[in-house]
Amino acid sequence: MNEIDAKLSKLNHLLNEAQNLEETMTRRLAAMDLNLLVVFSVLMHEQSVTGAAKRLFVGQSAVSASLKRLRTLFGDPLFVKAGRGMVPTERALQILPAINQSLMHIHAFTFAPPSFDPAKASVTLRIGMSDDNEIVFLPAIIRALQKRAPHIRVIARPVSHLNICTALDSGDVDVGMSVFGELSNWHASEVLHEQGYGCLYDRHHHQESKRLTLKRYLQSQQVIVTFDGALEGKIDRILAAQKVQREVQIGTTRFATLPHLVKGSNLVASLPELIGRVLAKNHGLAFCALPFEVPPGLPRLAWHKRNDADPINQWLRKIIIEAVQKEIKQILS
């Protein structure tokens, strides 16, 4: 056998191996139900057969049967009981990123987004916002949207670090704006801006007209915004490290309530700078920086990665970022 024949023989051998591998993969994929990957993803999120069944609108027995098939497929328990729920095994955590990525790719090419013309679009956009962002930025965002897309409808929905992941996963909101904690790895986010914190108070009920001293601040009764019902937060932990404590008497879930509580009283509200400046201007109150150092907050714009390439979601994010930056400049000027 000459050199050319040897090379051709080797090439044919490699082609046969590749064909055999492709046939093996095809048989395995044909035998696998892709719905099992969906069940796995939901189980990972819910960590409960009952919760997964409700989310998928099927019976618990159907989810249990799918879990049994998943365990056989991957040769691993995947989820083990812990209290009333389940926790994923190490193998489940290892395959989660690949499965989520695969599901996102399948969704992307199966449900290709339609072309999008803002001037003609009549879709409804749902923006999740904490109410400080709603007060500060929603009017500017609405103006920007109406200028470019006059037929679009907008719904602002309340979100916080407590429910943003659920709201994005369920599609209740297209994007979310707030200071969020750690998001899931199937969510994306972008920091919108950096801002400090300050005090909102009625200058007629405090000796200091321009800036509260630390002594005056600590002597004043406090009102805070609390999403989880706790009457302490980041500021209290910072004060505790300095071995001092403030007196928090009132908690509310909405920044919009603060000026109505502060006005005509000796209450002091500690809050982010932008909402503090806007509320002070709109309600004839005073605003000053806190009399101690606090790390700045980082409000973010968050969305589900399944919408990364969606033209409507991309356009909405661009409009929001531009409107936020423009409004910040006006507030701080």
Side-chain angles (χ1 to χ4, degrees):
M1 179 181 295
N2 58 35
E3 183 179 351
I4 295 177
D5 289 337
K7 288 183 176 180
L8 288 174
S9 176
K10 184 177 182 180
L11 177 60
N12 287 329
H13 177 70
L14 292 174
L15 289 173
N16 286 332
E17 283 190 342
Q19 183 176 1
N20 290 336
L21 178 61
E22 182 180 356
E23 289 176 354
T24 300
M25 290 178 60
T26 300
R27 286 196 303 270
R28 288 178 177 175
L29 289 174
M32 186 182 74
D33 183 356
L34 290 178
N35 285 323
L36 293 176
L37 302 185
V38 178
V39 174
F40 173 86
S41 180
V42 175
L43 277 169
M44 182 64 75
H45 180 75
E46 297 290 337
Q47 296 190 9
S48 160
V49 170
T50 302
K54 290 181 180 178
R55 181 91 173 271
L56 294 167
F57 300 101
V58 298
Q60 293 185 37
S61 59
V63 175
S64 295
S66 295
L67 178 56
K68 183 178 180 180
R69 293 174 63 190
L70 281 165
R71 286 167 169 165
T72 301
L73 179 65
F74 289 103
D76 187 87
L78 298 179
F79 300 92
V80 295
K81 289 185 177 181
R84 295 184 177 180
M86 303 185 301
V87 293
T89 64
E90 186 63 30
R91 174 65 170 152
L93 293 173
Q94 289 174 352
I95 64 177
L96 174 63
I99 288 179
N100 279 338
Q101 193 70 23
S102 299
L103 290 174
M104 284 189 287
H105 284 316
I106 293 171
H107 182 277
F109 66 70
T110 304
F111 304 99
S115 58
F116 176 61
D117 181 355
K120 298 179 180 179
S122 60
V123 297
T124 299
L125 301 176
R126 293 171 173 82
I127 306 175
M129 312 176 83
S130 51
D131 83 303
D132 58 327
N133 283 295
E134 191 169 327
I135 293 168
V136 175
F137 296 121
L138 185 59
I141 293 171
I142 294 297
R143 288 193 296 269
L145 289 172
Q146 289 180 335
K147 181 178 180 180
R148 296 165 177 81
H151 306 296
I152 277 181
R153 299 177 298 276
V154 179
I155 299 175
R157 306 201 65 177
V159 297
S160 70
H161 65 284
L162 298 176
N163 69 338
I164 180 59
C165 291
T166 302
L168 290 172
D169 289 347
S170 65
D172 285 345
V173 300
D174 300 305
V175 296
M177 292 175 61
S178 188
V179 176
F180 301 125
E182 185 177 351
L183 299 174
S184 302
N185 57 9
W186 53 86
H187 298 138
S189 68
E190 181 174 341
V191 174
L192 288 169
H193 60 97
E194 178 181 298
Q195 68 173 332
Y197 294 84
C199 308
L200 183 71
Y201 61 99
D202 191 330
R203 61 172 56 88
H204 301 297
H205 288 262
H206 291 270
Q207 295 176 356
E208 297 88 341
S209 59
K210 293 185 177 180
R211 184 183 177 105
L212 293 179
T213 64
L214 178 58
K215 180 180 179 180
R216 184 67 173 176
Y217 177 86
L218 295 175
Q219 289 175 343
S220 301
Q221 296 175 338
Q222 305 273 329
V223 54
I224 65 171
V225 171
T226 171
F227 296 112
D228 59 6
L231 288 177
E232 60 180 27
K234 177 168 70 172
I235 288 177
D236 300 279
R237 292 188 290 272
I238 292 172
L239 291 173
Q242 301 178 25
K243 301 189 184 306
V244 293
Q245 184 178 1
R246 63 176 178 171
E247 182 185 356
V248 178
Q249 282 207 330
I250 303 171
T252 175
T253 58
R254 300 188 62 80
F255 287 92
T257 306
L258 295 179
H260 303 286
L261 295 171
V262 168
K263 197 172 185 67
S265 76
N266 63 350
L267 287 170
V268 171
S270 301
L271 69 176
E273 179 181 7
L274 295 177
I275 182 63
R277 290 182 179 275
V278 170
L279 292 178
K281 180 180 179 181
N282 292 346
H283 295 272
L285 297 169
F287 176 83
C288 69
L290 288 171
F292 49 91
E293 293 294 324
V294 176
L298 298 173
R300 289 186 285 165
L301 180 65
W303 63 95
H304 199 291
K305 284 185 179 179
R306 65 171 174 253
N307 293 322
D308 265 339
D310 179 72
I312 300 177
N313 198 277
Q314 287 180 333
W315 177 81
L316 174 60
R317 299 195 306 262
K318 181 175 181 292
I319 294 296
I320 289 175
I321 292 170
E322 291 176 353
V324 165
Q325 298 304 324
K326 183 178 180 181
E327 192 66 16
I328 290 174
K329 290 181 180 178
Q330 292 184 354
I331 293 172
L332 298 180
S333 61

